[in-house]
Amino acid sequence: MWRWLHPYAKPEATYRLNKKLLPWFAWPGVVLLAVGLVWGLVFAPADYQQGDSYRIIFIHVPSAMWAMGFYVGMAVAALIAVVWQIRTAEWALMAIAPVGAVLTFISLFTGAIWGHPMWGTWWIWDARLTSQLILLFLYLGVMALYVAFEDQRTGAKAAGILAMVGVINIPIIHYSVYWWNTLHQGSTITQMVTRLEAPTMPAEMLWPLLVNLFGFLGVCAALVIMRLNNEILRREVRRPWAIAILKGGQ
Amino acid sequence: MAQSAALLEARQVTSVRGERTLFEDLNLAVHPGHLYQIEGPNGAGKSSLLRIIAGLLQPLSGDILYKGELRQHVRREFLQDLLFIGHKAAVKPELTALENLEFFAATQGQPCAEPPFELLAQLGLVGLEDVPAANLSAGQQRRIALARLWVSGAALWILDEPFTSLDVAGIALLHRRFDAHLQAGGAIILTSHQPLDWAGRSLVRLQLEYSW
Amino acid sequence: MARVSNTALLQQLIRRDLRVALRQRSEFLNPIIFLLVVITLFPLAVGPSADTLARIAPGVIWVSALLSAMLGLERMFRDDFRDGALEHMLLLPCPVELAVLGKVIVHWLLTALPLLLISPLLALLLSLPMQALPILIVTLLLGTPVLSAVGAIGVALTVSLNRGGALLSLLLLPLLIPLLIFATAALEAATYNLSAAGPLAMMAAFLVLALGLSPLAVKAALQVSVN
């Protein structure tokens, strides 16, 4: 692991690798997202129960999924940063956090919009929404801890430990909330939601959803890569290689 | 002296603080019977070096060896043989001099059978043994911390600015204690802004530069 | 030289910390008084009807317990960080995890024990049915060590910050949500004369998990904090 990682511990090497990787995420991401959104929002058939309002799942589901996925990614970066003391992993961790937090917020926001026609209220203590809300708090905690330290390295390490503690807790929180939810209300609402995401979902709906899933991943990964490269340049601004890049504009 | 006789060795230690390199590839061998004084301007990394040797701070690279073995592999033996007194002296302000001392002695593996009044007398703390440390002067608190030097059986002492807020008599007392420790085959690493008034030939000076 | 055993060191640490805490009595009693005051606020806010109070009692007791724990947590490492005792602790010739466990035990003795003692009073104030009182005590017995152990992670992360108070709650409360869910579920079951065994078993699992894993996280966090 260490041998494989070591070359990329150098900020310059990471920067150059990122530059190469960026187009492979950015362009497919943008194209897939555009295709998926138009397909899902315009061409996919309307749901026989919910009509057109179900279409928000084409944004809601990918953002909710990657919100969770990016948290795990953040924890992996944290593990690398804490165990192998690699600076670029610390920066990666902090590059991921805001993107994941925004994804979580999007999933909450779209969930509320979806809930309004379905349940007649903007917010309902549905297990999914509650669990996403707690995930948002976890992201906010990591970011708040990071900015609380004057020394950014210490901040990143502390935030990394918190992210790792959080990732162990996520499944526990998730299942606790589901259990709590079934305890306190009949699960009809949840069933109505899951029906759309179950494998019984018609293919005309499933395909645009899958396309959007990868579109979201591509675009968000590209955002993370760009954030990471900005951070690398910012930290290394006095080093010759960074000066050359900034002057050369490449 | 033979290489293998070193009590402690620092090998190619590099330390970075923030984005600044404090020192690079630093080597240091600590032999029994010697006192090592680390000198240098503020911010040169004196305290960092002491903390790295003690294991409170992780160096960017490099190894610390205790009796020829990696420190992290013999952590317990190393810590049992180490006495570290940092800037913050670990004296509990709520506890009296006596209680602080008894705790230190017990954690050092030398529990006091009876209250160490003789030691308190030597340190000029008699009559104050029942006063919470918070009510004592800075110099007196420092003396409580340094009392650990008398109750410890550790061979390696790491002292960060031990002379701070001590009076002339206190400094002389400390010098005598250092001498006895070195005679007994111990080693001392310390930082000090004051030039050390040390006639013995066992003094080794290590100069750290302020570097960018 | 004499070799100090792990248990002897643990004993010494616990004894010293208890002694220090008892010298500044107000500090560890304040959170429990805060808890009592908060509990008093609820009947005043929602009305003194016994039915309403009994219905919200499990939630009120546990939310108040969580909030008051946040107040008392800081002192677990804060003073030690300031006077250097934390560094001394990290350099003791015993596993750091063990010393951390000692800290958690002291914190539990100082905060949870008073809470357990006044728990019948809390049940009385909130008209909790009598048959639920044993379950309340069991949830507190199982849950408060989790609070201390998980709390230690948060304190260890924020100890080097000057103003860690609100941040500490932001970090810790989301992590403690499962505890809240199962503790209140157990209590609720008990008030309706149902079996509380399921939620209590979950809490016991949390206890094992927290005591097993949190010393590792606390150790890592302290090593970052003393930097």
Side-chain angles (χ1 to χ4, degrees):
Chain A
M1 186 79 172
W2 168 246
R3 237 173 251 270
W4 176 79
L5 276 172
H6 197 236
Y8 298 110
K10 275 191 127 171
E12 185 182 356
T14 316
Y15 182 87
R16 299 207 183 281
L17 176 74
N18 279 348
K19 273 273 166 199
K20 274 185 218 140
L21 285 180
L22 184 59
W24 292 96
F25 283 99
W27 292 115
V30 168
V31 171
L32 284 175
L33 194 61
V35 170
L37 283 178
V38 172
W39 190 354
L41 296 184
V42 182
F43 295 107
D47 184 66
Y48 73 95
Q49 268 186 344
Q50 296 181 32
D52 281 332
S53 64
Y54 90 96
R55 289 182 198 275
I56 204 155
I57 64 160
F58 294 113
I59 297 170
H60 177 73
V61 172
S63 60
M65 263 191 68
W66 294 124
M68 207 71 97
F70 274 53
Y71 196 96
V72 175
M74 185 171 76
V76 171
L79 185 75
I80 295 169
V82 172
V83 175
W84 288 284
Q85 308 262 333
I86 294 176
R87 281 191 303 165
T88 42
E90 291 169 13
W91 303 338
L93 153 80
M94 295 328 296
I96 296 174
V99 176
V102 168
L103 278 172
T104 318
F105 180 76
I106 292 174
S107 79
L108 278 171
F109 191 72
T110 50
I113 295 177
W114 189 15
H116 193 243
M118 268 181 69
W119 305 319
T121 170
W122 293 109
W123 182 259
I124 186 161
W125 289 97
D126 159 69
R128 266 152 217 275
L129 286 180
T130 312
S131 170
Q132 287 289 319
L133 183 63
I134 298 168
L135 184 64
L136 182 63
F137 293 152
L138 291 179
Y139 270 119
L140 293 180
V142 170
M143 280 153 44
L145 187 62
Y146 173 66
V147 296
F149 284 88
E150 261 161 46
D151 178 48
Q152 284 163 320
R153 285 211 71 179
T154 317
K157 276 184 199 149
I161 293 171
L162 184 67
M164 285 191 284
V165 172
V167 89
I168 294 173
N169 264 280
I170 280 182
I172 301 177
I173 294 175
H174 194 71
Y175 288 109
S176 303
V177 167
Y178 271 70
W179 184 82
W180 159 83
N181 195 247
T182 49
L183 183 76
H184 284 270
Q185 56 190 137
S187 50
T188 47
I189 294 163
T190 324
Q191 270 171 10
M192 223 155 94
V193 180
T194 28
R195 192 181 55 79
L196 282 168
E197 290 154 31
T200 54
M201 190 177 195
E204 313 86 88
M205 292 181 189
L206 196 60
W207 278 109
L209 185 60
L210 276 177
V211 170
N212 257 354
L213 267 180
F214 287 102
F216 261 83
L217 176 63
V219 169
C220 292
L223 285 175
V224 168
I225 289 171
M226 284 156 80
R227 279 181 54 83
L228 177 57
N229 265 4
N230 278 342
E231 188 64 23
I232 291 174
L233 282 184
R234 205 168 66 77
R235 297 299 181 88
E236 302 275 297
V237 72
R238 280 196 234 110
R239 305 282 152 96
W241 73 266
I243 293 170
I245 282 173
L246 290 169
K247 282 204 175 130
Q250 63 99 24
Chain B
M1 201 171 287
Q3 189 73 9
S4 59
L7 186 60
L8 183 116
E9 265 181 275
R11 281 198 192 152
Q12 311 228 294
V13 173
T14 301
S15 176
V16 172
R17 203 84 179 135
E19 305 292 316
R20 187 166 71 86
T21 306
L22 291 177
F23 41 81
E24 223 169 341
D25 291 335
L26 182 139
N27 290 300
L28 172 69
V30 176
H31 295 283
H34 286 66
L35 185 149
Y36 299 78
Q37 184 187 9
I38 297 165
E39 294 171 308
N42 289 331
K46 301 190 293 293
S47 293
S48 294
L49 179 57
L50 293 193
R51 295 167 69 81
I52 284 173
I53 294 174
L56 284 172
L57 196 64
Q58 192 75 26
L60 188 71
S61 63
D63 293 316
I64 308 290
L65 286 85
Y66 168 70
K67 290 186 176 165
E69 287 186 75
L70 275 179
R71 185 194 51 198
Q72 52 269 38
H73 292 169
V74 287
R75 179 174 183 273
R76 199 186 178 111
E77 288 74 13
F78 169 71
L79 290 180
Q80 234 156 23
D81 213 12
L82 167 76
L83 180 73
F84 176 87
I85 304 181
H87 267 295
K88 299 182 279 184
V91 173
K92 276 283 159 196
E94 296 86 358
L95 301 184
T96 67
L98 205 54
E99 287 166 335
N100 269 303
L101 206 50
E102 280 170 346
F103 173 72
F104 287 140
T107 57
Q108 250 29 103
Q110 324 247 313
C112 313
E114 52 197 67
F117 285 119
E118 204 174 312
L119 175 54
L120 286 171
Q122 232 184 335
L123 291 165
L125 293 167
V126 158
L128 300 168
E129 62 265 23
D130 288 329
V131 182
N135 300 347
L136 299 177
S137 74
Q140 286 165 329
Q141 289 190 27
R142 197 74 203 166
R143 279 162 184 252
I144 299 177
L146 292 168
R148 287 169 69 186
L149 302 179
W150 277 266
V151 297
S152 164
L156 177 64
W157 293 359
I158 300 182
L159 312 173
D160 201 349
E161 299 287 345
F163 302 111
T164 310
S165 45
L166 282 187
D167 54 17
V168 179
I171 294 176
L173 185 69
L174 212 52
H175 275 158
R176 283 202 298 281
R177 181 68 190 121
F178 285 177
D179 223 5
H181 183 60
L182 298 179
Q183 294 288 331
I188 305 172
I189 312 173
L190 59 79
T191 61
S192 179
H193 284 302
Q194 292 115 315
L196 205 53
D197 178 23
W198 197 262
R201 57 194 165 70
S202 57
L203 173 68
V204 181
R205 283 212 166 88
L206 180 71
Q207 189 76 36
L208 287 184
E209 307 276 332
Y210 187 91
S211 58
W212 282 97
Chain C
M1 69 178 281
R3 193 184 151 97
V4 210
S5 74
N6 281 343
T7 42
L9 278 175
L10 187 62
Q11 248 173 17
Q12 286 294 335
L13 267 177
I14 291 178
R15 213 164 61 197
R16 181 198 60 173
D17 281 359
L18 284 177
R19 201 178 258 171
V20 168
L22 294 175
R23 292 268 156 90
Q24 17 164 270
R25 223 159 298 151
S26 68
E27 284 245 13
F28 80 90
L29 284 180
N30 283 346
I32 204 83
I33 299 171
F34 168 81
L35 175 74
L36 267 176
V37 174
V38 170
I39 296 275
T40 314
L41 294 180
F42 277 89
L44 294 172
V46 302
S49 134
D51 282 351
T52 320
L53 288 181
R55 234 192 69 67
I56 62 167
V60 168
I61 290 174
W62 261 95
V63 169
S64 314
L66 283 185
L67 294 182
S68 78
M70 294 299 118
L71 294 181
L73 269 175
E74 276 198 351
R75 44 158 296 122
M76 204 186 305
F77 295 122
R78 178 72 36 100
D79 292 347
D80 284 359
F81 177 76
R82 289 201 181 128
D83 60 30
L86 193 60
E87 290 172 0
H88 182 250
M89 185 186 102
L90 291 177
L91 293 179
L92 285 177
C94 72
V96 176
E97 292 87 345
L98 189 79
V100 169
L101 210 58
K103 283 280 173 194
V104 170
I105 291 172
V106 170
H107 180 261
W108 185 84
L109 289 174
L110 291 172
T111 58
L113 227 45
L115 179 59
L116 279 166
L117 288 177
I118 66 159
S119 58
L121 181 62
L122 302 183
L124 189 77
L125 286 174
L126 291 173
S127 321
L128 197 73
M130 256 308 136
Q131 79 270 12
L133 181 59
I135 300 294
L136 172 62
I137 291 172
V138 175
T139 59
L140 288 175
L141 271 174
L142 290 172
T144 46
V146 178
L147 260 180
S148 299
V150 175
I153 302 175
V155 186
L157 285 171
T158 55
V159 70
S160 62
L161 300 170
N162 288 325
R163 54 243 176 290
L167 182 63
L168 187 66
S169 308
L170 171 61
L171 305 188
L172 287 178
L173 289 175
L175 298 177
L176 293 168
I177 285 172
L179 186 65
L180 179 72
I181 289 177
F182 286 101
T184 51
L187 269 178
E188 225 160 89
T191 49
Y192 296 122
N193 276 319
L194 299 170
S195 162
L200 288 181
M202 286 302 291
M203 291 185 74
F206 293 160
L207 177 61
V208 172
L209 198 67
L211 287 182
L213 292 184
S214 89
L216 300 172
V218 174
K219 178 186 173 184
L222 287 178
Q223 277 160 353
V224 170
S225 284
V226 297
N227 249 341

